[in-house]
Amino acid sequence: MMPQTRFVRHPRLPARLPRRLLQLYAGLAAYGVSMALLVRSALGNMPWDVLHQGLARWLHLSLGTLTIIVGAVVLLAWVPLRQRPGLGTVSNVVVIGVVVDAVLAVLPAPPALAARIAFAAAGIGLNALGTALYIGARLGPGPRDGLMTGIVARSGWPVRWVRTSIEVAVVLVGWSMGGTLGPATVAYALLVGPLVHPLLPLLTVPIGPVREDRAGTTATRPQDLPAP
């Protein structure tokens, strides 16, 4: 009988990389589509998109282009905060902007209020799913999330206070420049966190060292599991 050969993953290759890459880009694509749905609802954008849309109207650039530019500028703010970007961080800057422009090019604005409400609801739900997917891939946070966590790490201020302060500031600046602020903006701020919370444990990819026991099953150390 021929001996069985067991193939072992190279120790330097990131764990479960194919799944993580697929999940990352599926999540970023879903995020871009969700942005387009909220924009087309005309009932209010996500907080950062209020800023993106306001800048786009002043600079006569597309929403996706401004999303990329703002993301790149925010990423530069990571330098003094000593944050390290990952593949997911850089991909976030580019992919979301490309997807939102592509979807806006083919997705018309619905005239009926009921359809606009449906667009807003679908956008919020899809955004929660996309957020959980790309964060769960564990390939780096988005530039805006990294800005928040970097400020928290350097200052010691509470996460909620920092996040709220940043989002209120970008909403006010964007709204003053013509960005759409409305009930969907408020609904997004109130609902997206509670929607992401139950999805994140389900979609977080465990990447800790995996050992095989005598029964042939795999086990992961408790400390390698994602925090609740």
Side-chain angles (χ1 to χ4, degrees):
M1 179 181 291
M2 293 291 293
Q4 293 184 349
T5 302
R6 298 182 64 182
F7 295 93
V8 180
R9 177 179 60 84
H10 192 283
R12 292 186 180 180
L13 184 67
R16 297 179 178 153
L17 185 59
R19 176 192 162 175
R20 292 166 68 194
L21 288 173
L22 179 62
Q23 184 170 315
L24 169 67
Y25 291 110
L28 295 177
Y31 200 106
V33 174
S34 73
M35 287 171 56
L37 285 167
L38 280 161
V39 169
R40 286 293 185 240
S41 77
L43 293 173
N45 300 328
M46 302 176 201
W48 278 93
D49 286 342
V50 178
L51 175 63
H52 299 152
Q53 190 179 57
L55 287 170
R57 289 178 174 173
W58 275 79
L59 299 175
H60 305 290
L61 297 172
S62 70
L63 180 66
T65 300
L66 261 300
T67 300
I68 293 171
I69 291 172
V70 171
V73 171
V74 171
L75 196 54
L76 290 176
W78 283 33
V79 176
L81 296 173
R82 299 180 183 177
Q83 295 288 92
R84 287 188 175 183
L87 174 64
T89 310
V90 179
S91 298
N92 183 294
V93 172
V94 177
V95 174
I96 291 177
V98 172
V99 171
V100 70
D101 271 355
V103 176
L104 288 173
V106 298
L107 184 68
L113 179 60
R116 291 164 58 199
I117 293 173
F119 268 38
I124 293 171
L126 187 60
N127 185 268
L129 176 61
T131 299
L133 281 168
Y134 90 75
I135 291 177
R138 301 172 79 167
L139 288 168
R144 296 155 186 82
D145 290 330
L147 174 66
M148 176 197 67
T149 56
I151 292 174
V152 169
R154 299 287 289 175
S155 67
W157 297 334
V159 174
R160 186 181 298 272
W161 189 89
V162 172
R163 186 184 191 96
T164 300
S165 298
I166 292 173
E167 291 189 348
V168 167
V170 298
V171 164
L172 291 177
V173 172
W175 178 65
S176 69
M177 300 176 73
T180 304
L181 170 64
T185 310
V186 178
Y188 175 87
L190 293 175
L191 296 175
V192 74
L195 288 172
V196 170
H197 184 73
L199 291 171
L200 197 52
L202 298 174
L203 296 172
T204 297
V205 181
I207 57 174
V210 177
R211 59 180 173 81
E212 187 176 274
D213 61 21
R214 292 182 180 179
T217 58
T218 58
T220 305
R221 297 179 302 172
Q223 61 266 37
D224 296 319
L225 296 174

